[in-house]
Amino acid sequence: STPVQVQGLADVVAIAGGAEHTIALRRDGTVWAWGGNYSGQLGDGTTTNRSTPVQVQGMADVVAIAGGAEHTIALRRDGTVWAWGRNGAGQLGDGTTTGRLTPVQVQGMADVVAIAGGFGHTIALRRDGTVWAWGINDGQLGDGTTPNRLTPVQVQGMADVVAIAGGF
């Protein structure tokens, strides 16, 4: 019920949270995660819950992180987006509904400058000010439809956007 220091982490420049997991980005561009791992959202190749941080496999040169309920998202310096964990509604953006225990690249996303996670969807902001989303779609993807999307779709009617956020 009182704060404790996370053991084994230093030089952290950003943190994010999911429903039951926490993500940290270190200054060296590596990503670390701990907590619930039921869907592989820790990215360590397992579904083992972790009470201390583990390094996400294959992630380097990361500049931003975000968490969804049971998925995790990373933005690399080259503007590509990567995701892992639960994928039942396509929230990983790899064109499938197959969960992933390690990062996969989101299809068709380049020149991205910001990312956000929702409960079962993911959002990206491109350098040109357009917003893209994928995953569960009860209207939250903003494409004028309600089918889930397994790959990114452009949010309609949005231009010159400077920030994004996701919700339930």
Side-chain angles (χ1 to χ4, degrees):
S1 62
T2 59
V4 296
Q5 185 173 1
V6 175
Q7 298 300 306
L9 277 182
D11 293 323
V12 173
V13 295
I15 57 171
E20 295 182 19
H21 70 293
T22 306
I23 311 117
L25 173 61
R26 291 184 56 182
R27 188 176 317 281
D28 64 5
T30 59
V31 179
W32 297 73
W34 62 99
N37 196 25
Y38 317 104
S39 299
Q41 61 266 45
L42 301 187
D44 67 347
T46 76
T47 56
T48 303
N49 296 341
R50 306 289 183 173
S51 58
T52 57
V54 292
Q55 187 170 357
V56 174
Q57 293 182 7
M59 282 284 87
D61 210 23
V62 172
V63 296
I65 52 175
E70 291 183 32
H71 73 291
T72 306
I73 311 110
L75 172 61
R76 295 181 91 172
R77 187 173 312 282
D78 65 4
T80 60
V81 179
W82 297 72
W84 56 97
R86 185 173 178 82
N87 195 28
Q91 58 265 50
L92 301 187
D94 67 347
T96 75
T97 55
T98 303
R100 306 293 181 172
L101 304 181
T102 56
V104 293
Q105 188 171 355
V106 174
Q107 292 183 7
M109 283 285 88
D111 211 24
V112 173
V113 296
I115 53 174
F119 175 76
H121 67 290
T122 306
I123 310 150
L125 173 62
R126 295 181 78 171
R127 186 173 312 282
D128 65 5
T130 60
V131 179
W132 297 73
W134 56 98
I136 290 177
N137 190 17
D138 296 320
Q140 62 267 53
L141 301 188
D143 68 344
T145 73
T146 55
N148 295 347
R149 300 297 186 159
L150 307 184
T151 56
V153 293
Q154 187 171 355
V155 175
Q156 300 299 305
M158 301 296 300
D160 298 321
V161 175
V162 297
I164 55 175
F168 185 76

